[in-house]
Amino acid sequence: MRRKPFLFISVIAVLAALLFGTASCSGPVPSPTPAGSPEPTQDVEVITAANLALGRPASGSDTYTEDVYADFAFDGDLTTKWAPKDQSNTFLEVELNGEQTVNSVVVYLSGTPKAYSLRYYHAGEWYDLYGTYTVFDENISLILRKRYDFENVTAEKLRISVDEGHICVAEMEAYCLSDDERKITYSAKNDYLAEDFFEKQAELGLIARLTNKMFMTDTAALSTDGAFERSDRFVLQNGIWNKTLDERKVFLTSLTHTAQNETDWQLRVGLGGQIYSVSGGFGQAVPSQKLKQEWIDSVMQATAISYTKHNPDSNQTTCLLLQSGSYLTNQDEVGTTFYSPMLACGGNDERKAYATVSWMQQAYGVNVNRSDLLVYTQIRDIGMGAAEVTYTYCNFGSGTYEDLSVPWNTVRLSALPDHVLGKTGGGYAKKNSTWAQAVNLSDTGGWAAAVQDASNAQSMALALVFGKNPVKKLGAREQWSDAIYSYGVQDEELVQNVVSRFKLQPGDVFSYKFYIVVGKLGETATLAAKLADKVEYGFKNFTTDDADRIAYYLKYDEETQQNVVVTNAENGTPLFYTYAQPISGSLPLFLMRDKETGKLFMTTEPYAYGAEEEFANPYETSDPKYVRYLGKKTVSVNKERVEYLALLGFVMQGSEIGTDGAYSTIAERVNDESFFPGIGALDRSVVVLTE
């Protein structure tokens, strides 16, 4: 993958920078009730835990008069206060009693601050808790009480920093509350993920049906050791990312294997389906992230390149598709990354598995080439520190993709500085990982590993098991070149890229199963060598006769005031059926929301309401490339208007109709044009089964 340079800009530091301690909170200890007569603008709840800031040494950037010292903000008395002389760039801080575990801060404010932030100090550095908070009600009467709850942080000092406006702090309190006492819920906060996305996913219940038959055969569990847990609750990690980034914006779910030994691991799945966090006995293996590329490039993911379309002369003529999403441009703000639209996701705890379906994106966003690949991902805990990962690509477009990364991966050198490669005859050898080296998979032992110390078999390792590429021909389809493992060090990262060389042609569905193994190097090497023979890959072919069907029923939606489709059979006779698996000649049917109207709608056009603009041909008329881009237009996702809610299955183009039932156009079945507006070029001609 081409590495994109990044530009650092100053931004509001956000929650991902938090360092949380492992210390638990002590039992509740009553704190003094603030004295004084002023009544807050809202009722004051009773917090019985000890106020860790009460009576502690304090200081401020300046003081307006003698009767508004910094100490007055920590004296338990609401009739006293701290007030700075300056109108902006001021601060108030308190020194705690050594290292303290804090997860809640309460501030009693007066004055008219436009913007302020809460910060904490630990191990020689200041970190923001919630970034800058804007007060919208400027007519504050008496005292405004604000409470902030967050995951545990280990703090030696706390600070409130004012960027703009005058502030008076009557009291600032700090607590370590129990889980029951905290008022905290976390969910994914990507700007382009619908607030009701998970609700729609649960309502439609499509993930099991869409992914049935889409992956390779499950690998038998290696052992029953340890426990597997999947959690949609976000928990802050220990200061591992670039401290200006907010991990909540990428988080989808976490998968954890716990055996209370060196094989323990946790994988975190991002909104595009990428694995953006891998932690184990070695700490965090994924790099700390570069600004403008956060959790897009330095992750584990599926990628695809169409060499017939790819032209690296400009970003807009490339054809590099990423599972994770698109890079930010220099004009974009950090934290506004567009992750690949998630179309279905869900877990199967019995199988210790989690699956996603997402629409892959052009790496550089606005492009003359459309993105026409779906990627299905399944992650399974199979025991002994191993996770089985399967990527299934679905090409619903007209282009061919020659290189499929299965996977692209990066490793943090500070955690795992050495690199070893499995040998064909067994064992492994340390590799000098200078940039851009490659070896055929058939010339390896089928695996490689990032290691703490390659000379010590007891050191921790993270192995990637990609197989030996034993099958170079699948039916009539043959690799155009040997599959390769490329690797090298760049920007303090080990880059690993496993490239399959089967061409993904229009209508193709291709699946590749590989493994991740966590543990001590010696044991990991032994297990990786065994798993190398279990790596599988191949094409999947579905027909109208053997593909599953998904029934949809008509229902009037009171909220949007339109007729929509649901999967609940209680709504009468099925209106139509889609195919759960992609069939040659079929198109994915998407469920989206128009944010301008609030209406739901169906379409086969993933770029619904997206912009098409004339491409400024950069070539001279004498250049052979001039004709290639003559009259071309760029396409882009309308991130501000469209929300992606679900993949409803696959529908047929009229020319590809099978003989397995009665067909009708969607327009004939759905009589509400707000729900099926026909905005896609093929929307009016695609057909669905009616019986």
Side-chain angles (χ1 to χ4, degrees):
M1 185 187 302
R2 178 179 168 187
R3 306 286 284 183
K4 181 179 173 70
F6 67 94
L7 174 69
F8 177 82
I9 62 173
S10 297
V11 294
I12 297 169
V14 289
L15 202 56
L18 294 179
L19 295 167
F20 66 96
T22 57
S24 60
C25 302
S26 58
V29 178
S31 57
T33 302
S37 57
E39 292 293 331
T41 57
Q42 62 188 70
D43 293 338
V44 178
E45 62 192 333
V46 176
I47 298 179
T48 58
N51 176 4
L52 303 175
L54 184 63
R56 298 299 305 163
S59 60
S61 54
D62 60 22
T63 301
Y64 188 70
T65 62
E66 292 184 357
D67 59 348
V68 286
Y69 284 126
D71 291 342
F72 291 152
F74 305 97
D75 62 358
D77 187 345
L78 290 181
T79 64
T80 61
K81 63 186 176 183
W82 167 78
K85 181 178 181 180
D86 294 333
Q87 296 293 309
S88 60
N89 299 319
T90 58
F91 70 87
L92 169 71
E93 72 180 43
V94 61
E95 182 177 338
L96 304 178
N97 186 19
E99 290 189 350
Q100 297 289 329
T101 302
V102 181
N103 56 28
S104 182
V105 170
V106 177
V107 184
Y108 295 85
L109 298 172
S110 61
T112 55
K114 299 289 186 182
Y116 66 89
S117 60
L118 298 175
R119 314 192 78 198
Y120 77 99
Y121 181 86
H122 176 66
E125 288 197 59
W126 284 100
Y127 298 91
D128 282 2
L129 288 174
Y130 268 73
T132 300
Y133 179 86
T134 301
V135 178
F136 295 101
D137 180 6
E138 296 188 3
N139 297 314
I140 299 176
S141 61
L142 299 180
I143 297 174
L144 177 67
R145 181 180 186 272
K146 290 290 184 182
R147 170 174 165 176
Y148 302 93
D149 289 1
F150 40 88
E151 293 291 345
N152 291 355
V153 301
T154 300
E156 298 146 49
K157 300 178 184 179
L158 295 172
R159 172 184 284 189
I160 182 168
S161 298
V162 182
D163 300 319
E164 181 182 358
H166 190 264
I167 192 172
C168 296
V169 179
E171 200 69 22
M172 182 173 173
E173 303 167 347
Y175 298 99
C176 185
L177 305 179
S178 68
D179 288 342
D180 292 336
E181 290 174 306
R182 275 186 297 169
K183 299 176 179 178
I184 182 170
T185 56
Y186 282 123
S187 61
K189 294 186 179 298
N190 180 270
D191 296 335
Y192 311 117
L193 188 72
E195 290 186 4
D196 59 346
F197 172 82
F198 298 106
E199 179 184 330
K200 288 295 182 186
Q201 288 289 311
E203 177 185 312
L204 293 168
L206 292 172
I207 185 64
R209 282 177 274 189
L210 290 171
T211 57
N212 184 37
K213 306 178 183 178
M214 290 299 290
F215 301 116
M216 307 304 287
T217 305
D218 283 358
T219 305
L222 302 176
S223 74
T224 57
D225 70 314
F228 173 77
E229 180 183 8
R230 178 181 62 85
S231 176
D232 297 333
R233 183 175 184 269
F234 177 77
V235 176
L236 293 168
Q237 300 193 77
N238 189 22
I240 58 175
W241 309 119
N242 186 313
K243 66 180 182 180
T244 63
L245 299 178
D246 186 349
E247 186 189 344
R248 291 175 301 165
K249 289 181 176 288
V250 68
F251 176 81
L252 180 66
T253 197
S254 64
L255 312 174
T256 306
H257 168 85
T258 306
Q260 301 297 328
N261 58 36
E262 64 278 354
T263 66
D264 291 357
W265 51 255
Q266 184 184 84
L267 308 180
R268 293 195 177 193
V269 181
L271 292 180
Q274 74 272 41
I275 297 175
Y276 77 87
S277 173
V278 180
S279 54
F282 39 71
Q284 176 60 242
V286 178
S288 60
Q289 304 303 304
K290 303 179 185 68
L291 300 184
K292 300 299 184 85
Q293 297 182 22
E294 52 262 29
W295 300 297
I296 292 292
D297 195 50
S298 297
V299 295
M300 181 179 289
Q301 64 175 316
T303 76
I305 297 179
S306 173
Y307 288 121
T308 55
K309 295 182 179 181
H310 185 70
N311 175 7
D313 287 354
S314 75
N315 289 346
Q316 293 188 337
T317 59
T318 58
C319 195
L320 167 61
L321 271 59
L322 306 182
Q323 178 184 27
S324 55
S326 298
Y327 297 123
L328 293 175
T329 67
N330 289 339
Q331 290 72 42
D332 294 326
E333 292 185 9
V334 172
T336 61
T337 300
F338 182 68
Y339 296 107
S340 292
M342 183 58 58
L343 303 172
C345 60
N348 184 318
D349 292 339
E350 183 179 348
R351 293 176 52 245
K352 298 183 177 181
Y354 188 80
T356 62
V357 183
S358 54
W359 173 40
M360 298 179 71
Q361 293 299 293
Q362 289 286 354
Y364 297 103
V366 179
N367 204 290
V368 297
N369 299 304
R370 292 170 62 90
S371 170
D372 45 19
L373 295 187
L374 300 180
V375 62
Y376 296 66
T377 302
Q378 178 179 262
I379 304 169
R380 291 182 58 238
D381 177 6
I382 59 174
M384 294 183 68
E388 170 199 284
V389 183
T390 305
Y391 294 149
T392 299
Y393 294 84
C394 168
N395 185 349
F396 62 89
S398 58
T400 295
Y401 295 84
E402 292 85 3
D403 272 10
L404 306 178
S405 292
V406 285
W408 165 275
N409 185 47
T410 59
V411 179
R412 183 184 300 218
L413 289 182
S414 60
L416 297 162
D418 286 351
H419 175 226
V420 301
L421 183 62
K423 298 164 63 175
T424 54
Y428 53 86
K430 182 179 178 180
K431 291 296 176 180
N432 179 13
S433 299
T434 55
W435 181 241
Q437 300 184 65
V439 59
N440 293 340
L441 299 192
S442 54
D443 294 330
T444 74
W447 65 277
V451 192
Q452 287 180 331
D453 181 358
S455 65
N456 182 1
Q458 298 300 305
S459 68
M460 290 300 298
L462 172 63
L464 180 62
V465 185
F466 40 73
K468 306 171 188 176
N469 191 36
V471 180
K472 296 178 172 58
K473 187 173 182 179
L474 297 168
R477 306 288 291 276
E478 191 169 358
Q479 291 181 168
W480 64 271
S481 181
D482 286 338
I484 63 169
Y485 169 63
S486 65
Y487 59 93
V489 170
Q490 187 181 50
D491 300 330
E492 298 301 316
E493 302 174 9
L494 170 66
V495 178
Q496 301 173 293
N497 191 17
V498 181
V499 184
S500 170
R501 290 288 173 71
F502 282 100
K503 293 182 179 180
L504 189 73
Q505 298 174 351
D508 278 350
V509 177
F510 181 77
S511 192
Y512 200 105
K513 180 176 72 177
F514 62 95
Y515 304 91
I516 305 168
V517 184
V518 171
K520 293 180 179 178
L521 175 57
E523 297 166 357
T524 295
T526 301
L527 180 55
K530 294 179 180 178
L531 288 174
D533 294 327
K534 297 182 181 294
V535 170
E536 291 184 77
Y537 49 90
F539 290 95
K540 292 182 173 292
N541 300 294
F542 301 102
T543 67
T544 55
D545 295 321
D546 59 21
D548 298 334
R549 301 179 184 181
I550 302 174
Y552 286 97
Y553 304 83
L554 190 66
K555 178 184 178 181
Y556 184 74
D557 188 289
E558 294 287 349
E559 183 176 350
T560 62
Q561 297 186 2
Q562 59 181 156
N563 288 317
V564 300
V565 294
V566 295
T567 56
N568 192 336
E570 295 178 359
N571 290 275
T573 304
L575 184 68
F576 62 80
Y577 301 82
T578 64
Y579 292 105
Q581 293 84 30
I583 300 165
S584 180
S586 67
L587 294 172
L589 182 64
F590 303 94
L591 177 65
M592 304 183 189
R593 176 183 286 111
D594 184 343
K595 291 195 283 188
E596 288 187 0
T597 65
K599 299 286 188 181
L600 303 178
F601 68 95
M602 297 188 302
T603 182
T604 61
E605 175 55 83
Y607 287 97
Y609 299 116
E612 284 194 358
E613 298 181 358
E614 294 291 336
F615 176 63
N617 197 327
Y619 301 104
E620 299 291 337
T621 55
S622 59
D623 192 315
K625 294 179 181 178
Y626 177 81
V627 175
R628 180 177 175 182
Y629 295 103
L630 185 63
K632 283 281 189 179
K633 293 184 176 181
T634 61
V635 293
S636 61
V637 174
N638 192 332
K639 299 179 289 188
E640 306 305 323
R641 181 170 179 178
V642 173
E643 290 178 329
Y644 297 81
L645 295 173
L647 172 65
L648 297 178
F650 294 84
V651 296
M652 302 300 296
Q653 299 182 57
S655 60
E656 305 288 343
I657 293 178
T659 59
D660 57 333
Y663 290 86
S664 173
T665 65
I666 297 179
E668 291 172 335
R669 302 301 294 173
V670 178
N671 58 9
D672 190 330
E673 288 198 3
S674 69
F675 186 59
F676 189 66
I679 58 177
L682 300 175
D683 279 0
R684 295 293 182 183
S685 62
V686 294
V687 297
V688 289
L689 280 165
T690 58
E691 60 180 44

